[in-house]
C-alpha cells in the first residue's frame, strides 16, 4: 500500500472489540495474566503497552524496519541508542549536529568513556582519517540542522559495513515520507518525533527504528531497562499527528521552496541554505536519495544588526525554538539551539550571528512572505 494510505490508517484497523476507528488510549500499567505462565502479550507497561505498540509498529513499517520503539523524547531515543556502546568505544558523528546530541555526547557519554569525533560525514576521506580501531558507529544527520548539509547515506553505509560499523541516521528533518535510510543500508533510524511526525508543536516524543533481529533485541532490552518510554496519551497524540504527515510534508515543502526563492532573490540576504535549491552543493545527492525536501531552511543576513529588529517585528512567524510543526517558527541558532556547541566549531561550520533558521509552517505562503517582508523593511529602515 502507498505510504499516504498507511499513514492515514495508523491504528484504524487494530481494535477488534468495539471496532473503534481511532485506536483507544489504554491507560493501564498492569495487565492481568490469564493463567500461571500465560500472558496476553502485555505484562507491564514499561516493557510493552497497547497504544504505544500500535505507534511502534507503524513507525517500523513506515521506515521499512524490523522494530520500532517510542521514547519520551528524541534525546531519550538517542540516549537509549548510545547505551549500545561501552567504555572505550568511539563514534563518528556529523559535524553540523543538533546541539542536544552534541551535549549528550560531550557532557554525559564522555564520562562513561564513549568518545566522538565530529566530521563532515559526506567526505569519505575525512571519515576514514578519523576512524579508530575502537570506532563502532557512524551517526549521520541529513540534512543537518541548521546548515542543511547533505550526506550520501548509501555511500556512507557501504563504507561503514566494510569496516563493521553500524550506521545511525537522525531522520527528523525529512521523515519516512521523504527519506527512508534503512532502505539505503542504515541500521538504525532515530527521530525527534516532537517535530514533523507529531507536527503540531504539542507533544514531545522520540522514535527509534532498527533493522535486524539481534540489534532489535538489544534495543528492546535497553528501551525496557532504561525506561524512558512514551506514555499512552502521548503515543495516541503522536498517531493522531502522523495520520496527516503526507499532506503536511507536501505543504511544508511547497512553502519552503517558495520561501527559499524569495530569500535567494532578496538584497538583504547573503546566502540561503536549502537542499531544494539547484545551487545547493549536494542538490543531486538529495534528489537521488529522497523523494522531497524538508520545510526547514536557514539564511544568512548580510548585516548582523538586522537580526534583532527582524525577530522583534515578525508577527505571524513566531520567534521560538523547535521546528516541524504546522506553525511557522524562526530560531537564532547561535544563541539558542546551538549555544552548547563551542564557538570554534560553530564558526568552522558557519553557524554565526547572522544566521537564522526558519521552520516554514503550513499557513498560506503569501501571508508568511508578507510577514517576513514587513520585518525586513523595518530592519532596513532602522539601519538607515
Ligand atoms: C529536536 C531534535 C532532537 C532532540 O529531540 P527532542 O524531541 O527535543 O528531545 C534530535 N535531533 C534533531 C535533528 C532535532 O531536531
Amino acid at each position: 500500500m502507498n505510504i499516504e494510505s498507511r499513514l492515514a490508517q495508523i491504528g484504524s484497523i487494530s481494535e477488534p472489540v468495539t471496532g473503534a476507528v481511532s485506536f483507544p488510549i489504554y491507560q493501564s500499567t498492569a495487565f492481568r495474566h490469564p493463567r500461571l505462565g500465560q500472558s496476553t502479550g502485555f505484562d507491564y507497561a514499561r516493557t510493552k503497552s497497547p497504544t504505544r505498540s500500535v505507534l511502534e509498529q507503524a513507525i517500523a513499517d513506515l521506515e521499512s524496519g524490523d522494530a520500532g520503539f517510542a521514547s519520551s523524547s528524541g534525546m531519550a531515543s538517542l540516549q537509549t541508542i548510545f547505551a549500545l556502546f561501552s567504555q572505550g568505544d568511539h563514534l563518528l558523528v556529523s559535524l553540523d549536529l543538533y546541539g542536544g546530541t552534541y551535549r549528550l555526547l560531550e557532557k554525559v557519554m564522555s564520562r562513561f568513556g564513549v568518545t566522538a569525533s565530529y566530521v563532515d560525514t559526506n567526505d569519505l576521506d575525512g571519515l576514514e582519517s578519523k576512524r579508530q580501531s575502537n570506532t563502532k558507529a557512524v551517526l549521520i544527520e541529513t540534512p543537518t540542522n541548521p546548515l542543511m548539509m547533505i550526506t550520501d547515506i548509501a555511500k556512507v553505509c557501504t563504507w561503514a559495513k566494510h569496516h563493521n560499523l553500524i550506521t545511525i541516521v537522525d531522520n527528523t528533518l525529512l521523515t519516512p515520507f521523504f527519506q527512508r535510510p534503512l532502505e539505503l543500508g542504515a541500521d538504525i533510524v532515530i527521530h525527534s518525533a516532537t517535530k514533523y511526525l507529531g507536527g503540531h508543536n504539542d507533544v514531545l516524543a522520540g522514535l527509534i527504528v532498527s533493522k535486524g533481529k539481534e540489534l532489535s533485541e538489544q534495543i528492546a532490552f535497553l528501551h525496557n531497562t532504561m525506561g524512558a518510554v512514551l506514555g499512552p496519551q502521548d503515543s495516541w497524540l503522536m498517531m493522531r499527528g502522523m495520520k496527516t504527515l503526507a499532506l503536511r510534508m507536501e505543504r511544508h515543502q511547497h512553502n519552503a521552496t517558495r520561501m527559499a526563492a524569495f530569500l535567494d532573490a532578496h538584497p538583504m540576504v547573503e546566502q540561503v541554505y536549502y537542499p531544494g535549491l539547484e545551487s545547493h552543493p549536494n542538490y543531486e545527492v538529495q534528489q537521488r536519495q529522497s523523494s522531497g525536501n524538508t520545510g526547514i531552511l536557514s539564511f544568512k543576513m548580510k548585516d548582523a544588526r538586522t537580526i534583532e529588529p527582524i525577530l522583534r517585528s515578525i508577527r505571524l512567524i513566531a520567534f521560538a525554538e523547535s521546528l516541524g510543526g504546522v506553525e511557522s517558527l524562526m530560531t537564532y541558532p547561535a544563541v539558542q539551539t546551538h549555544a552548547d556547541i563551542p564557538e570554534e566549531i560553530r564558526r568552522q561550520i558557519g553557524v554565526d550571528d547572522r544566521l537564522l533558521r526558519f521552520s516554514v509552517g503550513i499557513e498560506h505562503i503569501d501571508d508568511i512572505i508578507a510577514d517576513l517582508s514587513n520585518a525586513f523593511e523595518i530592519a532596513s529602515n532602522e539601519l538607515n
Side-chain angles (χ1 to χ4, degrees), residues 73-75 78 98 141 145 170 172-173 192 194-195 204-205 323:
S73 68
M75 292 319 301
L78 281 157
Y98 177 69
E141 281 184 25
N145 157 21
D170 184 330
T172 299
L173 264 59
S192 170
T194 311
K195 314 294 169 52
L204 193 70
L323 55 88

Side-chain angles (χ1 to χ4, degrees), residues 24-29 45-46 48-56 69-73 203-207 223 227-239:
I25 299 169
Y26 283 81
Q27 194 70 47
S28 185
T29 52
R46 173 159 34 71
K48 199 171 171 211
S49 159
T51 314
R52 194 180 88 217
S53 282
V54 175
L55 169 64
E56 291 175 333
F69 306 91
S71 319
S72 50
S73 68
V203 52
L204 193 70
L207 291 167
H223 191 232
V229 299
L230 194 65
Q233 309 259 355
D234 284 348
S235 295
W236 186 89
L237 274 172
M238 188 51 58
M239 291 193 270

